[in-house]
Amino acid sequence: MKKFNFRKVLDGLTASSPGGSSGGGSGGGIGAGSGSMHPGGTAGAAGTPRDEIQEIMSSDYFQICKTVRHGFPYLPTALAFDPVQKILAVGTRTGAIRILGRPGVDCYCQHESGAAVLQLQFLINEGALVSASADDTLHLWNLRQKRPAILHSLKFNRERITYCHLPFQSKWLYVGTERGNTHIVNIESFILSGYVIMWNKAIELSTKTHPGPVVHLSDSPRDEGKLLIGYENGTVVLWDLRSKRADLRVYYDEAIHSVDWHHEGKQFMCSHSDGSLTLWNLKSPSRPFQITIPHGKIQRDGKKPESCKPILKVEYKTCKSSEPFIIFSGGLSYDKACRRPSLTIIHGKAITVLEMDHPIVDFLTLCETPYPNEFQEPYAVVVLLEKDLIVVDLTQSNFPIFENPYPIDIHESPVTCTEYFADCPPDLIPVLYSVGAKHKKQGYSNKEWPISGGAWNLGTQIYPEIIITGHADGSIKFWDASAITLQMLYKLKTSKVFEKQKLGEGKPTAEIVEEDPFAIQMMYWCPESRIFCVAGVSAYVIVYRFSKHEVNTEIVSLEVRLQYDIEDIITPEPEIIPPFPDASFQLPSLRSLSGSTNTVACEGMMKDSIPCLSVKTRPVRMPPGYQAELVIQLVWVDGEPPQQITSLAINSAYGLVAFGNCNGLAVVDFMQKTVLLSMGTIDLYGSSDPYQRQPRSPRKNKQFTAGLTELTDSPVSLELERCKSPTSDHVNGHCTSPTSQICSSGKRLPSADVTKSNRRGPGRPPFRKAQSAACMEISLPVTTEENRENTFSRSRSSSVSSIDKESKEAITALYFMETFSRKNDSTVSPCLWVGTGLGMVLIISLNLPATEELRQTEPVMVSPSGTVLTLKGAVLTFSCLDCMGALMHPPYEVWRDPNSMDDSEKMRKRKLVMYSPSSSGDMGDHQFAVICSEKQAKVFSLPSQTCLYVHNITETSFLLRADVVTLCNSICLACFCANGHIMAMSLPSLRPMLDVNYLPVTDMRIARTFCFTNEGQALYLSSPTEIQRLTYSQEMCDNLQDMLGDLFTPVETPEAQNRGFLKGLFGGSGQTFDREELFGEASAGKASRSLAQHIPGSGGIEGMKGAAGGVIGDLARARLALDERGQRLGELDEKTASMMASAEAFSKHAHELMLKYKDKKWYQF
């Protein structure tokens, strides 16, 4: 094994890498030293910095845990409300439960089975919730802790659950099944009672057909001993629980969907499949007291009104001082097929139809009293839609909706990218809120939000946090994410800078996407200078400045040609230092072939030098907030569309914006509105190019006839097969490899032999949907339902479907910094670091005018420095540390209002902050450059360009995201891998601090939106409608309990109204009865063991971890211990009883046997 020559490494000379190492580091490029990786994955130092930096970070700083989930519950299925605690629960098809109270009280729970939630029932004012799942299991959740947990589960084995009902202040839960039977469960022990209401006992003996599943259960408000059972086929039975027989039966020839009582218990209302409502009187059950079809057309000949769509749910709520409310969903006429889903409110003779934007899943009427036998006095209706949650105010005649304080409109347009900023400047949030508040809608109810339960305080860790989401419609939302809450601050619509698309005129279009042409691909924000920059899917970049004042101005736009093609690639000769000395990279691989050469003809004209979208040319009114400073558009070149942007960076101090795609790099001066650089990736290398390449000969306008068959049969196809990247990864059987490595076989691969495998017809746009921006393609299976939301490609090239585009060397990372641009420079200077999809790192020198006055007039000189460094895989991120190991922030301009009315503000010179290290003002004689690719991380010493540390992060997968972040006054490199691992490494030594298998990337959405930020926080889009936040900080995990809201708060249950002597005398008040006596084991016996299985929950001891300390915590623990002891004693008692029964049976059989053979002689046996 060769040894390192440390002296030569420190001098910036090359050294051999250890050949026997299991993870040999990839060598530095031109003038870069090599690194090593010790077996086992620890980072080895290829060289030692002159001053050893004492790192204080250790693995004790790290722990992964989810903090909070924001947004609308994805695919909702069920709704419940506690009228005393005033908290709302929403169940979903994925087995999740979201519990909402006052703003800040937002809890997420998940059933381990993932089965859909069928129904939810609160134990009113008890701090508990029952959920019924599609796997026929009941769960009891304890809400008296900040993270609810399951106390008990009951799995039904032979019957399917269809409906549940828990009477107020009762501990017995009624459970209806698909077979039509009704079972009763004790909520405290979660054990099935022996009392069962069989369907054949409930219906008349003469009935020949099965009544169908149970669709409704409720006890009579007048008499708790009477249970109303609704069957699907139209049968309703009032069952007397004491006498175990049916008091009355009613029949209707239409299927029943729901039932609701009048509070006096003398009438009930049913909704049916023909759009009718029937009102039944208990005194005359033979026929309905009233039949109405609210939306049915009345026939002229006096016949029954025509049928309508089914009324899926009805609620019948009474008022003391006015007519009752009848509220139902569905029931619209069939002849209005295009009519939107509606909620109908009938109050007296007034009928109000509220049209909804999405289908109605469920609704609940909120009433003043929890007692079913009192006037209900409804004051609001909560309507759960497929993609929204609204609350309607019933106390005002026009039924306005309440302004929703929850961030449930994240998905208003599908999220395409996210950014997360922790520890922002403190003045940003109030400033953004002040400009965003001016755009708020009017017409909301003036009442307080009625879902006001729970308690929440700010906690101890308070620092400003902002989340930015980019959307498919071109909108951008800024959210206040401080103290694990989320509140919308400001919305920016980027599409307003472009002309509206006019369809149907027959004119040729230059668009490259048919759907969502304004979709946001990338965002770059400098919080200190308030400069904001976005890149869109239609190959454009918009630079925004922040102003508190409205302005009318024209939008300046620039057009950039960024197209470059080469004919051939010849890899370096053997005597040149190979860029990838690792043996695993000697396989040939196809890279950097020609760009797309098909022509797109429209009406005989080839598209050239035209952008994809049209910027508004007239003066535009720009409200306070972010105002467009400059629009930069890539244009079509020789009939080829511009490629989507893969990297973006902006610097306010330099006044420059840089962006790149698979063709090359562009640098624009947004102060002078000029293009400084527009260059193909290969030209950036200059004489330092490690590959010998020849420019493409002049293109001829040729039409390709080669299709997929020709590609398959060509001689190159075998070469293509062999050239597949050795670092390819497969997720769910699909290739997810980001990069193919560089061809090292020395063989020329002429581009003429390689054509696209999926040809487009003339004039057709090359992309169908908006793709996300970053630099990696992931092919993962996507369900049809989520198809639009999940459209994603972190493409290493901008197009996801063509071989030749994918093989180009895309610009994947950009970073402005004051650093040493060349080896052995003595002073720092402005630079632009450029990372490519081949793992190459280039440094571009920026020569800025010397004074502020000259900056407005003199040109900025931009030129490649000749420095080239290399890593494995596409470069993801850069960062820079000073000689003491402190993070160096890029320079920035202090914000000033460009449209200020104050003359002194206008004349004030630009104030630049060049560098503010954490230690001293002395920058020292060297820096550390941290570079991370999708495969490895390296730390270089500058200006010597020595590779000091290298860490091979993954061999079998690749990184999706990497960020250099601060944590506990230290810095680390945080990484998220495609195999689901979250990793952290200390800096600058790259020592592994954390490696947890957190979340396998089963969805493109996760890969597209995962991002890290300072203070140990991260987020990703867990569903198309929800943001999941997590922390990797041990300190925050320890303090999380203090930051979460309390779901349960001690509230006195309201007293029942005094009904008066006469009503009590004549049976008007509710009659109570002892359910324990009826349903208990003593009288009802035990249920069959095979019918349901009791499963103890994990919410016992786990719940105690979050309980408060002191006396309350001790009491809670003691109570839990008693409960568990009682449960064990109960199980022991059950076993003892079973043994006694077995012994009695044995004794009985023995006695019978003795009697049988008692008088027989011996010869009779």
Side-chain angles (χ1 to χ4, degrees):
M1 181 183 292
K2 296 181 182 179
K3 296 186 179 294
F4 280 105
N5 186 326
F6 285 97
R7 181 177 60 81
K8 286 188 177 182
V9 170
L10 284 173
D11 290 340
L13 303 176
T14 57
S16 306
S17 64
S21 175
S22 65
S26 67
I30 306 302
S34 299
S36 70
M37 172 69 73
H38 296 301
T42 58
T48 309
R50 282 184 275 274
D51 298 317
E52 187 67 33
I53 295 171
Q54 297 295 322
E55 294 180 3
I56 61 171
M57 186 168 283
S58 69
S59 58
D60 296 336
Y61 285 30
F62 296 90
Q63 183 184 341
I64 294 275
C65 73
K66 293 180 180 179
T67 53
V68 68
R69 183 172 291 209
H70 303 295
F72 181 75
Y74 184 55
L75 301 175
T77 55
L79 188 65
F81 182 71
D82 186 326
V84 179
Q85 287 289 319
K86 295 193 181 301
I87 55 175
L88 186 81
V90 179
T92 73
R93 199 182 301 172
T94 59
I97 298 175
R98 286 282 291 283
I99 304 170
L100 303 168
R102 67 177 66 247
V105 178
D106 186 343
C107 183
Y108 168 80
C109 321
Q110 177 69 47
H111 292 93
E112 288 184 8
S113 66
V117 178
L118 296 179
Q119 199 177 349
L120 296 171
Q121 287 268 306
F122 276 105
L123 277 67
I124 294 174
N125 205 26
E126 293 290 333
L129 175 73
V130 174
S131 63
S133 301
D135 60 353
D136 306 306
T137 307
L138 298 172
H139 305 276
L140 178 65
W141 295 83
N142 178 16
L143 306 185
R144 292 181 180 240
Q145 56 194 59
K146 294 194 174 185
R147 286 192 179 274
I150 293 175
L151 293 171
H152 301 281
S153 296
L154 190 66
K155 167 76 174 170
F156 280 72
N157 297 321
R158 295 186 302 191
E159 298 195 50
R160 308 217 64 183
I161 298 171
T162 56
Y163 195 87
C164 300
H165 169 65
L166 180 66
F168 179 46
Q169 294 180 326
S170 166
K171 68 174 185 178
W172 297 94
L173 175 73
Y174 302 112
V175 182
T177 69
E178 195 174 44
R179 291 187 181 179
N181 302 325
T182 302
H183 301 275
I184 300 168
V185 178
N186 185 309
I187 286 295
E188 292 179 348
S189 62
F190 238 58
I191 294 174
L192 210 57
S193 166
Y195 192 115
V196 184
I197 305 172
M198 304 299 288
W199 68 269
N200 54 352
K201 300 285 180 65
I203 65 172
E204 283 186 326
L205 295 175
S206 59
T207 306
K208 296 181 179 179
T209 57
H210 190 279
V214 174
V215 295
H216 177 81
L217 293 167
S218 61
D219 51 341
S220 167
R222 191 178 185 183
D223 183 358
E224 293 176 345
K226 305 287 179 68
L227 182 68
L228 194 70
I229 308 171
Y231 296 96
E232 190 180 63
N233 75 342
T235 301
V236 180
V237 175
L238 186 64
W239 182 264
D240 190 325
L241 293 166
R242 300 183 190 86
S243 62
K244 299 182 182 179
R245 63 180 181 82
D247 257 15
L248 64 85
R249 300 179 180 92
V250 302
Y251 300 96
Y252 194 68
D253 54 3
E254 292 291 341
I256 288 177
H257 284 283
S258 70
V259 184
D260 201 18
W261 282 99
H262 186 281
H263 82 274
E264 290 180 348
K266 298 176 182 178
Q267 294 178 330
F268 61 87
M269 183 176 285
C270 302
S271 71
H272 300 276
S273 57
D274 64 344
S276 65
L277 296 173
T278 55
L279 186 64
W280 299 83
N281 197 318
L282 298 188
K283 292 183 177 179
S284 55
S286 57
R287 59 187 179 86
F289 176 72
Q290 184 181 358
I291 302 175
T292 57
I293 303 181
H295 294 295
K297 287 184 178 178
I298 300 173
Q299 305 293 336
R300 291 181 180 176
D301 52 3
K303 291 182 180 177
K304 179 183 172 183
E306 64 177 20
S307 296
C308 294
K309 294 176 184 178
I311 295 179
L312 301 178
K313 184 175 182 179
V314 65
E315 294 209 343
Y316 187 25
K317 302 300 179 186
T318 54
C319 303
K320 198 169 188 177
S321 57
S322 68
E323 295 288 325
F325 279 89
I326 299 171
I327 304 168
F328 61 88
S329 61
L332 296 178
S333 175
Y334 278 107
D335 63 355
K336 296 178 181 177
C338 298
R339 196 164 181 177
R340 293 190 294 178
S342 300
L343 185 79
T344 304
I345 302 174
I346 301 176
H347 188 212
K349 293 182 179 180
I351 300 179
T352 306
V353 178
L354 304 178
E355 291 192 339
M356 306 294 168
D357 292 333
H358 309 284
I360 297 173
V361 175
D362 198 0
F363 73 89
L364 283 175
T365 307
L366 308 188
C367 301
E368 295 288 355
T369 176
Y371 295 94
N373 57 355
E374 298 177 354
F375 281 104
Q376 297 298 286
E377 303 295 345
Y379 60 90
V381 181
V382 180
V383 188
L384 178 64
L385 309 177
E386 277 190 3
K387 293 187 177 182
D388 203 357
L389 177 74
I390 65 169
V391 182
V392 180
D393 186 353
L394 293 179
T395 61
Q396 298 182 44
S397 58
N398 60 339
F399 302 131
I401 65 170
F402 289 86
E403 185 174 6
N404 198 319
Y406 308 134
I408 60 170
D409 57 346
I410 292 171
H411 63 287
E412 186 178 16
S413 173
V415 177
T416 54
C417 55
T418 58
E419 291 295 337
Y420 190 7
F421 299 86
D423 211 5
C424 301
D427 59 336
L428 269 177
I429 289 176
V431 163
L432 286 169
Y433 183 79
S434 67
V435 295
K438 296 173 183 176
H439 303 290
K440 289 200 172 181
K441 295 177 182 176
Q442 303 298 319
Y444 289 112
S445 170
N446 54 12
K447 299 285 182 66
E448 289 291 322
W449 180 251
I451 305 164
S452 56
W456 177 76
N457 53 30
L458 286 172
T460 53
Q461 288 187 328
I462 304 172
Y463 43 81
E465 298 174 68
I466 291 177
I467 292 171
I468 308 178
T469 55
H471 299 264
D473 65 353
S475 62
I476 290 163
K477 294 179 181 178
F478 291 76
W479 306 84
D480 177 8
S482 308
I484 68 170
T485 61
L486 197 70
Q487 181 183 7
M488 227 242 305
L489 293 172
Y490 172 64
K491 182 178 179 180
L492 172 65
K493 295 180 179 178
T494 64
S495 60
K496 287 193 172 182
V497 305
F498 299 106
E499 297 285 359
K500 289 184 179 178
Q501 305 301 306
K502 295 180 181 178
L503 303 175
E505 293 184 359
K507 294 181 179 179
T509 176
E511 290 182 31
I512 58 173
V513 286
E514 292 178 352
E515 193 175 336
D516 298 326
F518 306 113
I520 305 299
Q521 264 191 310
M522 309 187 81
M523 302 179 293
Y524 197 101
W525 190 42
C526 176
E528 290 80 12
S529 64
R530 303 185 189 175
I531 287 281
F532 185 58
C533 190
V534 299
V537 72
S538 297
Y540 63 82
V541 171
I542 309 176
V543 179
Y544 286 93
R545 283 188 184 272
F546 187 84
S547 175
K548 295 180 180 179
H549 304 281
E550 182 179 310
V551 66
N552 275 281
T553 184
E554 289 189 4
I555 300 168
V556 182
S557 64
L558 290 175
E559 294 178 357
V560 177
R561 290 174 71 92
L562 198 57
Q563 199 84 1
Y564 191 83
D565 298 303
I566 57 165
E567 182 68 40
D568 302 321
I569 300 176
I570 302 177
T571 55
E573 297 299 324
E575 59 268 16
I576 298 177
I577 299 170
F580 300 108
D582 191 346
S584 67
F585 286 92
Q586 297 308 311
L587 293 174
S589 185
L590 177 64
R591 218 7 127 172
S592 291
L593 295 178
S594 70
S596 166
T597 53
N598 67 318
T599 57
V600 181
C602 276
E603 298 182 357
M605 295 294 292
M606 180 187 294
K607 293 177 185 173
D608 187 61
S609 300
I610 57 172
C612 303
L613 302 171
S614 300
V615 179
K616 290 179 179 176
T617 53
R618 62 186 182 279
V620 177
R621 185 189 74 84
M622 297 183 187
Y626 274 104
Q627 299 168 350
E629 170 94 350
L630 176 65
V631 180
I632 309 159
Q633 290 183 283
L634 294 179
V635 296
W636 287 65
V637 179
D638 296 338
E640 288 188 22
Q643 300 303 302
Q644 292 176 3
I645 292 163
T646 56
S647 56
L648 178 69
I650 192 168
N651 188 278
S652 57
Y654 302 157
L656 303 179
V657 58
F659 58 93
N661 61 11
C662 65
N663 288 324
L665 171 71
V667 180
V668 174
D669 183 341
F670 64 81
M671 293 177 68
Q672 296 186 24
K673 314 292 191 293
T674 57
V675 180
L676 302 179
L677 179 76
S678 175
M679 190 177 286
T681 311
I682 297 158
D683 287 336
L684 295 173
Y685 290 99
S687 59
S688 303
D689 189 2
Y691 312 104
Q692 299 176 14
R693 326 188 203 211
Q694 298 176 358
R696 167 182 285 279
S697 56
R699 183 202 309 269
K700 295 178 182 177
N701 294 335
K702 54 177 182 274
Q703 294 290 338
F704 276 92
T705 56
L708 183 59
T709 311
E710 204 164 318
L711 173 66
T712 310
D713 296 338
S714 71
V716 183
S717 62
L718 293 175
E719 190 71 32
L720 281 169
E721 284 301 313
R722 281 188 327 200
C723 289
K724 286 184 179 174
S725 165
T727 61
S728 289
D729 303 295
H730 290 78
V731 177
N732 295 339
H734 296 264
C735 179
T736 59
S737 169
T739 41
S740 304
Q741 299 302 328
I742 297 156
C743 220
S744 54
S745 63
K747 178 175 179 179
R748 288 173 182 263
L749 298 178
S751 60
D753 291 340
V754 183
T755 58
K756 290 185 180 180
S757 59
N758 54 343
R759 286 284 160 213
R760 301 189 303 271
R764 290 191 59 194
F767 308 110
R768 173 144 187 87
K769 292 205 176 194
Q771 307 293 341
S772 94
C775 31
M776 173 166 20
E777 175 185 348
I778 297 183
S779 273
L780 293 173
V782 183
T783 60
T784 309
E785 199 164 342
E786 302 177 20
N787 206 17
R788 184 163 186 269
E789 289 90 341
N790 290 351
T791 306
F792 165 69
S793 102
R794 265 176 99 77
S795 66
R796 325 268 161 169
S797 61
S798 55
S799 167
V800 299
S801 55
S802 63
I803 294 172
D804 50 353
K805 284 180 183 171
E806 194 177 27
S807 65
K808 287 187 176 185
E809 186 173 8
I811 305 296
T812 57
L814 295 167
Y815 183 67
F816 286 102
M817 193 61 211
E818 294 272 320
T819 186
F820 301 95
S821 61
R822 295 176 180 84
K823 185 185 290 189
N824 300 325
D825 274 1
S826 57
T827 58
V828 296
S829 60
C831 295
L832 171 63
W833 288 65
V834 180
T836 77
L838 293 183
M840 310 301 291
V841 177
L842 310 165
I843 301 180
I844 308 293
S845 295
L846 309 173
N847 191 355
L848 299 168
T851 64
E852 182 59 35
E853 290 76 15
L854 294 175
R855 177 65 186 87
Q856 303 295 336
T857 55
E858 294 292 318
V860 177
M861 305 303 294
V862 180
S863 60
S865 67
T867 299
V868 181
L869 309 173
T870 62
L871 289 86
K872 289 183 190 175
V875 179
L876 295 181
T877 191
F878 298 103
S879 195
C880 206
L881 315 181
D882 65 12
C883 60
M884 302 303 294
L887 183 64
M888 295 174 60
H889 296 282
Y892 63 89
E893 175 192 0
V894 176
W895 176 77
R896 58 174 181 166
D897 197 327
N899 304 318
S900 174
M901 304 301 177
D902 188 356
D903 291 336
S904 61
E905 177 79 7
K906 284 183 179 179
M907 300 304 293
R908 183 168 64 86
K909 288 186 177 181
R910 295 173 70 223
K911 182 180 178 182
L912 306 183
V913 178
M914 301 309 289
Y915 175 57
S916 54
S918 57
S919 52
S920 65
D922 183 18
M923 196 176 291
D925 59 348
H926 68 278
Q927 298 173 343
F928 298 98
V930 181
I931 309 173
C932 185
S933 75
E934 63 196 7
K935 290 289 183 182
Q936 67 176 187
K938 283 186 177 183
V939 175
F940 292 91
S941 177
L942 301 178
S944 66
Q945 297 178 9
T946 303
C947 181
L948 297 177
Y949 302 98
V950 60
H951 182 72
N952 286 344
I953 297 170
T954 177
E955 293 292 340
T956 58
S957 187
F958 55 89
L959 295 186
L960 296 164
R961 180 82 183 213
D963 290 294
V964 175
V965 294
T966 59
L967 177 66
C968 299
N969 298 318
S970 298
I971 53 172
C972 66
L973 175 65
C975 307
F976 177 55
C977 197
N979 62 14
H981 283 250
I982 291 178
M983 294 165 280
M985 284 146 276
S986 67
L987 289 174
S989 65
L990 295 177
R991 289 180 296 120
M993 296 282 108
L994 174 75
D995 188 350
V996 174
N997 188 4
Y998 170 76
L999 179 76
V1001 181
T1002 55
D1003 204 304
M1004 300 176 185
R1005 185 190 321 104
I1006 298 168
R1008 180 182 67 221
T1009 57
F1010 199 102
C1011 54
F1012 296 97
T1013 189
N1014 297 329
E1015 309 302 334
Q1017 299 213 64
L1019 66 80
Y1020 60 93
L1021 222 67
S1022 56
S1023 75
T1025 62
E1026 294 168 292
I1027 288 175
Q1028 177 66 59
R1029 288 165 69 179
L1030 62 139
T1031 182
Y1032 48 95
S1033 162
Q1034 178 67 59
E1035 183 183 2
M1036 187 165 182
C1037 288
D1038 294 340
N1039 295 325
L1040 187 58
Q1041 285 292 331
D1042 297 331
M1043 302 172 73
L1044 296 173
D1046 290 296
L1047 295 172
F1048 178 80
T1049 53
V1051 179
E1052 285 290 330
T1053 302
E1055 292 185 4
Q1057 294 176 5
N1058 187 1
R1059 308 280 295 177
F1061 174 74
L1062 290 176
K1063 283 196 174 183
L1065 184 66
F1066 294 105
S1069 63
Q1071 298 175 14
T1072 59
F1073 79 112
D1074 190 353
R1075 292 188 178 93
E1076 182 69 37
E1077 183 183 337
L1078 274 178
F1079 306 145
E1081 191 177 321
S1083 57
K1086 289 188 177 181
S1088 169
R1089 284 178 173 272
S1090 60
L1091 183 60
Q1093 175 189 358
H1094 177 260
I1095 305 166
S1098 60
I1101 297 299
E1102 289 296 322
M1104 287 302 100
K1105 291 179 181 177
V1111 178
I1112 296 174
D1114 293 339
L1115 286 172
R1117 279 183 278 273
R1119 181 179 176 184
L1120 179 70
L1122 284 171
D1123 288 346
E1124 291 179 345
R1125 181 171 179 268
Q1127 184 179 332
R1128 285 195 291 270
L1129 286 172
E1131 290 172 355
L1132 184 63
D1133 182 52
E1134 192 176 325
K1135 287 180 180 178
T1136 305
S1138 175
M1139 290 173 67
M1140 286 180 65
S1142 177
E1144 286 178 6
F1146 179 76
S1147 172
K1148 181 181 176 183
H1149 288 309
H1151 185 69
E1152 288 175 351
L1153 195 65
M1154 183 270 291
L1155 293 176
K1156 182 178 179 181
Y1157 297 106
K1158 179 180 178 183
D1159 298 325
K1160 290 189 177 182
K1161 305 296 182 182
W1162 64 271
Y1163 52 81
Q1164 291 178 315
F1165 285 98

